[in-house]
């Protein structure tokens, strides 16, 4: 294998016998004082371009997390240039290790050969940025907050290129300095946190420098600290757009135009504005049939809300809980007439010293229009960081004002212990009446060594805490205590099909804020990585008897018997022309508890017609013989439920700029009533003669999307969408309900959208 000559040549001994030699010497010194030669991002690692780069060769296994040298040689170079942070990889991959030549779309999650560059531009462990390049030059980027939470909704503008030969493949990446806000440099130097890794798609092996893993409580703060010269770049980007929509059901069309503005005069300040923004998405959300009492969380891909949004991250450390849930802006209007329109939105990010700040404001149109505002400050103290967040929502249509204040802290008292805490309070003024609530969470993670890890969690959300005017919390009135221990095994026999296994054992106790015991649970799970690149998960939850205080929407809590869930999941990457995902679950619940368990199974195979064209189609089937659905006041229905769902579509990467995607989801649900019940004052379900009827549900979502990339972050979209939802007050065969879902046509639209980003 060819090695690149990275050693600097020995200095020459010069003699200067005459004026010509003196001039030559002066010219040479002048040349040496000129800025470094710019790196040409073409995928070919030229030694002259990478002189002076930091050379990394000590890549070690982090998946499995053994710390051993990787099975394939990997080396990388890091170089700070005036144009940005440049990183190069050379990845050995001999002929006996299969290469993945699969073409992938942006923000892919396919198991393919790839490299990751993750950068914490402030070196404080608070926010990281992930830049992923596949061996076929596909890309993915994400923002990392709370050490290990990746958000792929953000799309950045950065350069990348790939080349390959018989011995392996190379990647070159250039990340502009304006891509993220950063603190002011000191004495012309900047300390970055950097993590590099390489994944072999056919085996799932991940090798990294340094040895850090997002499966551990500390990840971003474990990046290697690299000191580089300080460079600064400014950016003014204007992205005008025009869109046209034709509604084929209502026979009308609509046009709209506007612009997004991004101004970064330096790394310490950024302004983002949206004028007459088009906040409609060209991405399709998954269909969800939700009869429960809690709201379904949906991520946000709108560019305004993904551009450097990390400063506003304030998690309540409970699933998807956030004080700022940007889907609220432009969401369903308070007057009930569709989605709200936005007049304008503005966002400021900046820093002074080790203090970062952010301001966010958005104003909706019309009498029912809401105003959303947020202010955020964080300060880094070294081993500890402290943050404050204030949000305000004015809802004139409801005569409601919502103010929420939060404090969050992240502390690393020792090299093994991490403690994260937050405290929040809300003040709601509804028709002149104040309602105040509070809550807080504390999580302690302790890495014991030898593959062992423990976690303790305490959580309190008062029954008057309300953050969902701007944030997301699936429920309030909750007190939770949780303990978990994990053990990871990586030294498995060479003939084992598994490369690693992690066992987890946890117990938790949940009560509401009035002392009502909701659940006691024992959870046992095993997460495994296989040597063929597949991942496998097995989990058992054993639940005690407890109270459901949400089902009747405030009309009395229902006492339920013990229950369990046993689930299995396997995701197998592409081997040959096939890949697949399998999920299966055995679950009990309802009034019968463990006497009548139900089940569900999902199987989605993907067939690769070529490296650029894949087709997938698979069913999901669910049977719940004891399904409880709220009717009204304290009346619930007990149903025998069957659901049949289809997920199908194809992905075609036509070339490096064009892609065509089809996504189809259809659902048919049949619910046969077994009886009606009233929840009495003692929490018991008492049989009732109140009428409760069979019902069925049909749901359809179809999207055909063509995208052409005109330039970085500049696109032409042509999108056809059709969908519908029907709740029928009678039973029908599950297959009939599923088949008739294809006749739904509540909406049928054609959207054409053109946006072009001008960088100045």
């Amino acid at each position: 294998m060819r090695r690149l000559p990275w050693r600097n040549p020995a200095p020459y001994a010069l003699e200067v016998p005459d004026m010509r030699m003196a001039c030559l010497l002066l010219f040479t010194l002048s040349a040496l004082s000129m800025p470094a030669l710019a790196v040409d991002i073409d995928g070919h690692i030229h030694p002259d371009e990478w002189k002076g780069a930091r050379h990394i060769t000590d890549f070690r296994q982090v998946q499995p997390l053994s710390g051993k040298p990787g099975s394939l040689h990997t080396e990388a170079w890091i170089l700070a240039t005036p144009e940005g942070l440049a990183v190069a990889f050379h990845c050995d991959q001999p002929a006996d290790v299969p290469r993945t030549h699969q073409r992938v779309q942006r923000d892919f999650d396919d198991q393919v050969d790839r490299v990751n560059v993750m950068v914490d531009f402030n070196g404080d462990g608070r926010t990281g940025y992930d830049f992923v390049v596949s061996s076929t030059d596909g890309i993915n980027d994400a923002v990392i907050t709370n050490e290990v939470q990746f958000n792929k909704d953000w799309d950045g503008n950065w350069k990348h290129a790939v080349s390959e030969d018989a011995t392996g493949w190379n990647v070159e990446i250039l990340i502009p300095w304006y891509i993220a806000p950063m603190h002011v440099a000191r004495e012309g130097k900047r300390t970055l946190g950097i993590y590099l890794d390489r994944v072999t798609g056919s085996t799932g092996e991940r090798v990294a420098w340094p040895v850090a893993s997002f499966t551990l409580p500390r990840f971003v703060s474990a990046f290697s600290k690299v000191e580089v010269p300080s460079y600064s770049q400014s950016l003014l980007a204007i992205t005008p757009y025009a869109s046209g929509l034709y509604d084929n059901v209502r026979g009308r069309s609509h046009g709209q135009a506007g612009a997004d503005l991004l101004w970064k005069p330096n790394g310490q300040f950024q302004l983002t504005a949206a004028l007459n923004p088009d906040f409609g998405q060209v991405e399709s959300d998954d269909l969800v049939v939700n009869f429960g009492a809690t709201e379904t969380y949906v991520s946000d891909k709108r560019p305004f809300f993904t551009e450097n949004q990390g400063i506003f991250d304030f998690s309540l450390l409970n699933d998807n809980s956030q004080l700022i849930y940007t889907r609220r802006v432009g969401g369903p209007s308070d007057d009930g007439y569709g989605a709200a329109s936005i007049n304008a939105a503005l966002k400021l990010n900046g820093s002074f010293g080790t203090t970062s700040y952010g301001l966010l404001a958005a104003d909706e149109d019309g009498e029912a229009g809401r105003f959303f505002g947020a202010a955020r400050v964080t300060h880094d103290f070294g081993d500890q960081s402290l943050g404050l967040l204030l949000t305000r929502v004015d809802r004139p249509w409801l005569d409601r004002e919502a103010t929420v204040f939060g404090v969050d802290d992240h502390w690393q008292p020792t090299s093994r212990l991490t403690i994260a805490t937050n405290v929040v309070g809300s003040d709601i003024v509804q028709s002149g009446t104040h309602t105040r609530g509070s809550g807080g969470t504390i999580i302690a993670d302790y890495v014991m060594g030898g593959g062992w890890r423990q976690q303790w969690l305490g959580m309190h959300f008062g029954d008057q805490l309300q953050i969902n005017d701007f944030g997301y919390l699936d429920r309030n009135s909750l007190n939770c205590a949780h303990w978990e221990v994990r053990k990871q095994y990586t030294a498995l026999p060479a003939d084992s099909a598994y490369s690693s296994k992690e066992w987890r054992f946890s117990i938790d106790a949940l009560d509401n804020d009035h002392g009502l015991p909701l659940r006691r649970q024992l959870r046992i799970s095993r997460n495994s990585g296989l040597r063929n690149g597949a991942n496998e998960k097995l989990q058992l939850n054993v639940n005690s008897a407890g109270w459901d205080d949400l089902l009747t929407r405030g009309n009395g809590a229902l006492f339920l018997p013990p229950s369990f869930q046993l689930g299995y999941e396997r995701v197998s990457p592409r081997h040959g022309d096939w890949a697949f995902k399998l999920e299966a679950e055995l679950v009990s619940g309802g009034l019968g508890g463990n006497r009548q368990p139900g089940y569900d199974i999902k199987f989605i195979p993907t067939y690769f017609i070529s490296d650029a064209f894949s087709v997938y189609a698979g069913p999901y089937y669910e049977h719940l013989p004891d399904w409880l659905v709220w009717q009204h006041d304290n009346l619930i229905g007990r149903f025998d439920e069957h659901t049949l769902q289809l997920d199908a579509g194809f992905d075609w990467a036509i070339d490096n700029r064009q892609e065509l995607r089809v996504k189809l989801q259809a659902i048919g649900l049949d619910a046969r009533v077994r009886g009606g019940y009233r929840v009495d004052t003692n929490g018991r379900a008492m049989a009732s003669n109140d009428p409760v009827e069979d019902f069925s549900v049909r749901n359809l979502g179809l999207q055909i999307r063509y995208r052409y990339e005109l330039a970085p972050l500049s696109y032409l979209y042509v999108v056809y969408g059709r969908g519908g939802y029907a709740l029928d007050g009678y039973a029908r065969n599950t297959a009939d309900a599923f088949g008739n879902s294809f006749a739904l046509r509540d909406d049928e639209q054609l959207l054409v959208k053109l946006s072009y980003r001008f960088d100045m």
Side-chain angles (χ1 to χ4, degrees):
M1 180 183 64
R2 182 173 63 92
R3 295 291 181 209
L4 301 177
W6 295 110
R7 291 181 299 173
N8 292 325
Y12 294 99
L14 296 178
E15 298 180 0
V16 190
D18 56 24
M19 183 63 68
R20 287 177 299 175
M21 290 301 296
C23 292
L24 179 60
L25 175 61
L26 179 63
F27 175 79
T28 302
L29 293 174
S30 300
L32 290 174
S33 67
M34 294 176 62
L37 180 67
V39 177
D40 183 16
I41 304 300
D42 58 4
H44 298 280
I45 304 174
H46 301 292
D48 290 342
E49 294 179 352
W50 291 91
K51 283 182 178 178
R54 179 165 180 175
H55 188 198
I56 310 297
T57 59
D58 189 23
F59 282 83
R60 294 181 175 270
Q61 289 183 348
V62 295
Q63 206 169 345
L65 187 53
S66 67
K68 298 178 180 179
S71 61
L72 299 175
H73 179 77
T74 306
E75 54 188 325
W77 295 265
I78 303 172
L79 181 65
T81 75
E83 293 78 22
L85 181 67
V87 181
F89 288 84
H90 176 73
C91 305
D92 284 359
Q93 195 151 340
D96 60 343
V97 180
R99 299 190 191 184
T100 58
H101 292 103
Q102 176 183 336
R103 299 271 293 279
V104 291
Q105 298 183 355
R106 182 161 193 157
D107 294 335
F108 67 92
D109 57 7
D110 306 76
Q111 177 74 301
V112 295
D113 296 331
R114 61 193 185 276
V115 297
N116 285 263
V117 176
M118 304 188 196
V119 185
D120 171 9
F121 287 96
N122 288 327
D124 58 6
R126 190 168 186 94
T127 303
Y129 294 81
D130 183 17
F131 306 89
V132 190
V133 182
S134 75
S135 61
T136 56
D137 207 23
I139 66 169
N140 179 1
D141 40 24
V143 179
I144 316 168
T145 56
N146 290 323
E147 292 279 6
V148 295
Q149 292 183 0
F150 288 74
N151 184 346
K152 295 194 298 182
D153 294 336
W154 171 72
D155 289 334
N157 182 15
W158 46 285
K159 295 182 179 180
H160 51 93
V162 177
S163 68
E164 68 172 333
D165 56 29
T167 64
W169 48 287
N170 301 322
V171 180
E172 288 186 320
I173 297 171
L174 182 67
I175 305 167
W177 297 113
Y178 59 67
I179 203 157
M182 58 189 74
H183 295 159
V184 66
R186 294 183 178 180
E187 299 179 354
K189 299 289 184 180
R190 180 177 303 282
T191 299
L192 308 177
I194 296 181
Y195 165 92
L196 310 176
D197 77 29
R198 178 254 182 110
V199 179
T200 303
S202 61
T203 64
E205 180 188 62
R206 184 186 300 265
V207 294
W209 172 86
V211 177
S213 172
F214 45 76
T215 64
L216 297 176
R218 293 187 190 179
F219 180 55
V220 176
S221 60
F223 290 2
S224 280
K225 299 301 185 286
V226 178
E227 187 177 82
V228 300
S230 175
Y231 296 105
S232 181
Q233 287 178 312
S234 61
L235 172 68
L236 174 61
I238 301 175
T239 309
Y241 82 90
S243 66
L245 183 145
Y246 178 72
D247 188 331
N248 197 36
V249 173
R250 297 160 186 84
R252 61 192 183 196
S253 59
H254 172 70
Q256 191 168 344
D260 290 335
L261 171 70
L262 176 61
W263 179 43
K264 295 183 179 181
N266 52 54
Q268 291 75 58
F269 181 82
Q270 170 189 311
L271 182 147
T272 308
L275 307 175
N276 192 28
D278 176 17
F279 278 170
Q281 293 202 117
V282 292
E283 308 289 339
S284 60
D285 298 324
D286 288 335
L287 296 184
V288 177
V289 176
N290 183 3
F291 284 88
T294 58
E295 178 186 9
T296 300
Y297 179 89
V298 183
S299 64
D300 198 342
K301 285 286 292 182
R302 298 174 293 181
F304 175 84
F305 292 117
T306 61
E307 179 67 33
N308 289 330
Q309 189 70 15
I311 180 67
F312 295 101
D313 180 83
F314 191 113
S315 169
L316 295 178
L317 311 177
N318 177 37
D319 296 331
N320 294 308
S321 60
Q322 284 280 346
L323 289 195
I324 294 182
Y325 177 41
T326 56
R327 278 275 187 153
R328 302 288 183 211
V329 185
S333 176
D334 284 345
D335 60 9
Y337 290 99
S341 299
I342 293 92
N343 290 321
L346 181 71
K347 181 163 53 177
L348 299 175
N349 300 75
S351 65
F352 48 91
T354 57
T355 299
S356 300
Y357 65 88
L359 297 173
L360 171 65
D363 185 55
E364 295 177 345
D365 189 29
E367 294 183 1
R370 296 158 295 203
F371 173 80
F372 297 84
R376 177 70 155 148
V377 177
T378 66
H379 184 79
D380 177 49
F381 295 95
D383 293 333
Q384 190 170 11
S385 62
L386 181 68
L388 308 175
L389 176 64
L390 176 68
T391 68
R392 174 65 179 259
V393 181
D394 292 336
R395 309 177 72 172
W397 187 264
L398 302 179
D399 191 16
R400 179 181 174 96
E401 298 174 351
T403 303
V404 176
F405 180 72
V407 180
D408 59 339
D409 179 81
H410 190 272
W411 182 32
Q412 298 177 347
T414 72
S415 61
R416 294 180 179 272
L417 179 62
T418 302
I419 300 175
T421 58
N422 61 56
V423 178
V424 297
S426 63
D427 182 13
I428 310 299
V429 183
Q430 183 89 46
S431 303
T433 302
H434 282 265
T435 302
R436 295 182 175 91
S438 61
T441 306
I442 180 169
I443 294 181
D445 271 293
Y446 182 58
V447 178
M448 298 178 287
W452 289 94
R453 171 183 168 189
Q454 288 192 68
Q455 182 185 85
W456 299 267
L457 178 147
M459 183 182 299
H460 164 71
F461 299 142
D463 64 353
Q464 298 298 316
L465 177 66
Q466 301 180 51
I467 71 167
N468 283 0
D469 293 88
F470 202 167
Y472 176 88
L473 183 64
D474 59 0
R475 66 161 296 155
N476 56 9
S477 185
L478 180 68
N479 294 297
C480 173
H482 167 91
W483 173 78
E484 179 181 86
V485 62
R486 306 181 187 184
K487 169 62 175 173
Q488 187 171 74
Y489 298 89
T490 58
L492 301 179
D495 58 353
S496 172
Y498 296 92
S499 59
S500 67
K501 296 179 182 179
E502 183 184 64
W503 285 93
R504 302 184 184 185
F505 302 87
S506 67
I507 55 175
D508 62 37
L510 276 67
D511 294 351
N512 71 10
D513 205 33
H514 302 283
L516 203 63
L518 305 178
R519 187 187 73 192
R520 306 291 184 264
Q521 184 185 84
L522 168 66
R523 176 179 298 177
I524 304 172
S525 67
R526 190 190 76 181
N527 296 345
S528 305
L530 286 84
R531 298 190 191 277
N532 64 358
N535 291 289
E536 186 179 84
K537 182 176 182 179
L538 180 66
Q539 181 169 304
L540 171 66
N541 298 339
V542 180
N543 305 310
S544 69
W547 296 80
D548 186 336
D549 64 339
L550 298 181
L551 177 63
T552 64
R553 277 61 164 183
N555 292 287
L558 173 65
F559 186 79
L560 295 173
S563 62
F564 74 90
Q565 297 93 31
L566 177 62
Y568 174 80
E569 177 181 329
R570 179 169 176 141
V571 179
S572 178
R574 179 182 177 184
H575 289 282
D577 296 330
W578 290 94
F580 72 85
K581 174 186 285 189
L582 171 66
E583 299 176 7
E585 185 180 32
L586 186 66
V587 57
S588 69
L591 299 180
N594 294 325
R595 292 196 300 269
Q596 289 184 301
Y599 64 91
D600 60 73
I601 186 167
K602 182 177 185 178
F603 179 67
I604 301 182
T606 300
Y607 179 70
F608 292 84
I609 298 173
S610 69
D611 289 325
F613 199 144
S614 63
V615 181
Y616 66 93
Y620 168 82
Y621 185 77
E622 174 185 88
H623 176 216
L624 297 177
D626 201 347
W627 185 39
L628 303 180
V629 179
W630 178 63
Q631 305 298 299
H632 54 80
D633 50 68
N634 68 338
L635 179 66
I636 60 174
R638 188 183 191 189
F639 295 90
D640 184 19
E641 178 263 355
H642 297 260
T643 295
L644 179 61
Q645 176 175 331
L646 173 69
D647 289 274
F650 69 75
D651 295 296
W652 182 20
I654 301 172
D655 55 34
N656 289 334
R657 291 182 176 269
Q658 300 181 82
E659 65 181 36
L660 180 64
R661 185 183 70 183
V662 174
K663 181 178 180 180
L664 169 67
Q665 290 184 305
I667 299 175
L669 181 152
D670 171 50
R672 310 273 176 154
V673 68
R674 296 181 56 187
Y677 296 82
R678 291 280 181 179
V679 179
D680 68 13
T681 56
N682 295 319
R684 310 298 173 177
M686 307 299 293
S688 171
N689 292 324
D690 293 276
V692 177
E693 305 295 337
D694 300 339
F695 69 92
S696 58
V697 173
R698 294 172 290 139
N699 203 358
L700 176 71
L702 169 66
Q703 186 189 74
I704 304 172
R705 190 192 78 172
Y706 170 80
R707 184 176 78 172
Y708 184 84
E709 184 179 18
L710 304 165
L713 301 182
S714 304
Y715 303 103
L716 169 66
Y717 285 100
V718 181
V719 183
Y720 169 81
R722 175 179 165 181
Y725 176 87
L727 175 61
D728 302 318
Y730 53 87
R732 62 167 79 215
N733 181 276
T734 309
D736 290 341
F738 170 77
N740 286 318
S741 67
F742 292 94
L744 293 170
R745 190 170 166 264
D746 298 346
D747 294 289
E748 186 178 30
Q749 300 175 341
L750 179 66
L751 170 71
V752 178
K753 180 178 180 179
L754 176 65
S755 64
Y756 197 93
R757 172 165 160 157
F758 296 91
D759 289 352
M760 305 177 186

